[in-house]
Amino acid sequence: MFKIQRVLFAVLALAGNTAAFTNPGNANVLSSHRTGLAAFGGKAKATKIVEPEIDEDVTMFDSIAEPVGDVAVLALRLATCSLLVHHGFDKIQNVDGFSANVVAKFFGFLPGPPSFWTLSAAATQVAGAGLLTVGILARPVAFSMMCTMLVAVIFHLLNTGAEGFPLAVVPQHSYNYELAAMYVGVLAYFAAAGAGAYSVDEAVLGGELKLYESGIKKVFGGDEE
């Protein structure tokens, strides 16, 4: 009986080698024959070792960098709002002066009384600073605040020009539009990226963008997943 098995094994192996040589697609058939014969002859079946996949994008610093980055975004948000809010209070206390010297003088083409635009900018900066501080509807809030500071940049450029930007050394040690331009840059970041992990948008409302998506689906009757 043992000799018959050996002869059968030799015949099938020879046939399989010939088939694999003439048609590479039959290599799987040969492997199947060999596996079956090995089991029939009582030999151990070879096992394929699968190596675990390694994510090359993950580094040893990720577990530290991510929370540190979240805290840094929170600090930037709080600092920006605490420094910007007084610009709104200043407009409220000096409505007539700001309306006459800024709005009417440089933006006289705007419809309505200049005081309306002064109080609108003040409300945006005060209310916006409060909302962005806690991180509620951060993107549209930051965008509206950014627009007020962009208008401030335009005002300074119209009033004093570029002042030799970027290499000139000015007597007051900074360009008149410099602070407003920095606010524009920071607020543009929050308008694009949101308030970050430590905010009402993310921690309470489940994500700012998801909130907008849910609202749009409710208004326009989109399919709920």
Side-chain angles (χ1 to χ4, degrees), residues 40-141:
F40 184 76
K43 297 181 180 179
K45 182 179 179 180
T47 57
K48 183 179 179 180
I49 300 176
V50 179
E51 296 182 358
E53 295 183 359
I54 299 176
D55 190 352
E56 297 180 354
D57 296 331
V58 177
T59 69
M60 61 183 294
F61 303 106
D62 288 353
S63 59
I64 300 175
E66 185 173 350
V68 169
D70 292 336
V71 172
V73 170
L74 173 63
L76 178 63
R77 197 177 82 232
L78 296 179
T80 300
C81 293
S82 63
L83 292 171
L84 190 146
V85 67
H86 82 90
H87 291 281
F89 292 143
D90 180 65
K91 292 177 179 65
I92 294 174
Q93 294 178 2
N94 299 279
V95 176
D96 293 338
F98 191 87
S99 298
N101 297 321
V102 177
V103 179
K105 184 176 182 180
F106 293 94
F107 303 96
F109 58 88
L110 294 174
S115 59
F116 167 79
W117 297 103
T118 298
L119 292 174
S120 296
T124 300
Q125 292 172 340
V126 174
L131 291 172
L132 188 59
T133 295
V134 295
I136 298 178
L137 306 179
R139 286 177 172 87
V141 168

Side-chain angles (χ1 to χ4, degrees), residues 4-14 33-34 37-38 43:
I4 296 176
Q5 291 178 3
R6 293 185 61 183
V7 171
L8 180 60
F9 178 82
V11 172
L12 290 177
L14 180 61
H33 288 329
R34 288 177 175 173
L37 289 173
K43 297 181 180 179

Side-chain angles (χ1 to χ4, degrees), residues 47 54 75 80-81 110-111 130 144 147 158 163 184 205 214 217:
T47 57
I54 299 176
T80 300
C81 293
L110 294 174
S144 63
C147 289
L158 292 174
E163 302 176 71
V184 170
L205 301 180
S214 176
K217 287 182 177 180

